[in-house]
Amino acid sequence: MENPKLMVLFFLLILLPSPLSTVVKVEQGKDEPYVGVNVGTDFSDVLSPEELASFLQLQKITHVRLYDADDKILKALAKTHIRVIISVPNNQLIAIGSSNATAAAWIGRNVAAYYPETLITALAVGDEILSTIPSSAPLLMPAIESLYSALVAANLHTQIKISSPNSFSIVLDSFPPSQAHFNQTLSPVISQLLKFLSRTQSPLMMNLYPYYVFMQNNGVVPLDNSLFKPLTPTKEMVDSNTLLHYTNVLDAMIDSVYFSMKNLNVTDVGVLVTETGWPTKGDSKEPYATIDNSNTYNSNLIKHILDRSGTPLHPELTSSVYLYELFNEDLRSPPISEAHWGLFYGNSTPVYLLHVLGSGSFLANDTTNQTYCIATNGTDTKMLQTALDWACGPGRANCEEIQAGGNCYQPNNVNNHASYAFDSYYQKEKKAPGSCDFKGAAMITTTDPSKLFA
């Protein structure tokens, strides 16, 4: 992951009459949208390949992206039905792009040797080459074409797609989305890439981080818009050219990519979000890198994707996404946030539990079995009080300790009392599905609510 350098964003909140722009013509594919995870290995307590495969299955993760083509991991993933994107590292582009024999050998060694027992679905050629190593941009398409020829020769070109992940920084003037366009200095390579993707029915891979949009724009972008939080109509972002309303930053970023492709007359290439996420910890310059914000972003993102919400430009088309990332990579170089993007620590215990009830079983398993139910931050006080009254009344939660004089009466506020009651009910019901909901007023966490009263 590279930190993209984003331009100043201007979210227009005033409706200005203007005709609706011509929209792109990408069609929803036959596959359902999914949420996958990026799997890095730059951390101390690395699981063995066999342990990793078992862990992915335990967590019901069906799609992963690897940053290389590790032979041991690919072997361990055989017959797991987990779909895998493997990657060609940047430092291999020269050799592969300059020799068809080298490309054929790479495919034979890293793809044909494992497929179909290991369900390799795509090759990610390089990573953010156009923005981080622009001098290597001329190498990208020769490498992609050589690898594709090797797939054709192995009769694997219809089963395995090829693309290249890009940073959002290749898109300029991205807000409002309708005025977005690709960096003109990169247009020759991007045009070639898009023609290839169109010809092979492959997606444009994009690494999209609303976190960096929020951090690098000095308060212009509200936090709630970045975290997929519910918005009042006055807080929605409005594209003054199309009158499309945006309730979250990621959708606006995706539509910016679609409009950029339209400017190059490409209307039949979809967007695959190969990286997105929110860090759980940062230094003093990153105060919004917190567990709560990370949990909120990833949880709401998962719901957004699995609900097939689409984007304002493309309500019929939902991009699949890969969360960055599965494990905290504690060996990564500073800043501090670089080591704190994971859903799990290296020993496979969760950094937090995602709030994904009702959105399938993705990452719903708790590896420590230490889960609790607490009040959701920001819930209306009246709603919390109603849920609290139900839990202590018809729900028969044990609420003695939060009565006046009880050990957990202090701090005396609705939020803390509700957390105590919600967890009492949740534990009484043996953590049954749906027992930590209270009409959205509650959430599952790994933080013991008794610490609230310490």
Side-chain angles (χ1 to χ4, degrees), residues 286-307:
E286 297 185 82
Y288 296 94
T290 67
I291 286 179
D292 283 346
N293 285 341
S294 179
N295 197 343
T296 299
Y297 178 80
N298 285 326
S299 297
N300 288 340
L301 168 67
I302 292 169
K303 293 175 184 176
H304 186 64
I305 300 303
L306 299 186
D307 286 347

Side-chain angles (χ1 to χ4, degrees), residues 79-385:
K79 300 181 180 179
T80 61
H81 303 292
I82 295 171
R83 288 161 172 78
V84 187
I85 294 178
I86 61 175
S87 301
V88 179
N90 293 346
N91 60 11
Q92 296 183 22
L93 292 186
I94 295 179
I96 290 174
S98 59
S99 169
N100 288 335
T102 300
W106 198 97
I107 292 296
R109 183 173 63 255
N110 298 300
V111 179
Y114 303 102
Y115 188 89
E117 285 77 12
T118 300
L119 294 178
I120 299 170
T121 58
L123 306 183
V125 182
D127 186 35
E128 301 187 347
I129 288 288
L130 300 183
S131 54
T132 60
I133 319 175
S135 61
S136 297
L139 304 173
L140 181 61
M141 287 314 301
I144 287 176
E145 291 286 5
S146 294
L147 289 166
Y148 183 72
S149 295
L151 285 179
V152 171
N155 199 27
L156 295 174
H157 59 293
T158 58
Q159 299 99 314
I160 299 172
K161 303 299 183 181
I162 300 182
S163 188
S164 181
N166 292 281
S167 163
F168 189 55
S169 62
I170 68 171
V171 178
L172 302 182
D173 298 327
S174 62
F175 293 91
S178 60
Q179 71 180 27
H181 58 90
F182 291 120
N183 185 332
Q184 291 185 355
T185 61
L186 301 173
S187 290
V189 177
I190 294 176
S191 294
Q192 293 178 54
L193 174 62
L194 292 177
K195 289 178 182 178
F196 171 85
L197 299 178
S198 174
R199 173 165 55 91
T200 60
Q201 298 182 319
S202 302
L204 177 63
M205 295 177 172
M206 295 294 301
N207 298 339
L208 304 179
Y209 288 93
Y211 172 73
Y212 288 122
V213 173
F214 170 73
M215 288 297 296
Q216 297 180 10
N217 287 277
N218 301 316
V220 174
V221 181
L223 181 62
D224 286 356
N225 300 61
S226 304
L227 295 175
F228 291 90
K229 286 189 174 182
L231 302 174
T232 60
T234 58
K235 290 186 177 181
E236 292 178 355
M237 303 169 288
V238 180
D239 187 320
S240 60
N241 298 317
T242 63
L243 303 186
L244 293 173
H245 288 233
Y246 289 88
T247 59
N248 67 82
V249 173
L250 184 67
D251 281 353
M253 296 174 81
I254 292 173
D255 279 356
S256 296
V257 177
Y258 279 126
F259 276 110
S260 296
M261 287 194 284
K262 177 66 172 62
N263 284 333
L264 294 179
N265 298 315
V266 176
T267 60
D268 59 352
V269 173
V271 174
L272 175 63
V273 181
T274 37
E275 287 183 14
T276 191
W278 197 284
T280 56
K281 185 178 180 180
D283 57 26
S284 59
K285 296 180 180 179
E286 297 185 82
Y288 296 94
T290 67
I291 286 179
D292 283 346
N293 285 341
S294 179
N295 197 343
T296 299
Y297 178 80
N298 285 326
S299 297
N300 288 340
L301 168 67
I302 292 169
K303 293 175 184 176
H304 186 64
I305 300 303
L306 299 186
D307 286 347
R308 299 187 66 172
S309 301
T311 67
L313 180 64
H314 262 310
E316 82 289 354
L317 179 64
T318 300
S319 294
S320 296
V321 304
Y322 286 79
L323 297 179
Y324 187 85
E325 59 183 331
L326 185 60
F327 298 113
N328 275 346
E329 294 188 89
D330 62 299
L331 300 180
R332 290 184 66 91
S333 302
I336 292 174
S337 61
E338 282 295 296
H340 294 90
W341 289 81
L343 300 171
F344 295 87
Y345 297 105
N347 62 6
S348 76
T349 59
V351 177
Y352 54 80
L353 286 186
L354 291 159
H355 313 153
V356 292
L357 290 179
S359 295
S361 57
F362 178 81
L363 286 173
N365 291 304
D366 173 32
T367 57
T368 66
N369 201 34
Q370 297 298 312
T371 59
Y372 307 92
C373 183
I374 63 173
T376 302
N377 291 333
T379 302
D380 179 75
T381 301
K382 291 182 179 179
M383 183 177 180
L384 270 183
Q385 186 65 57

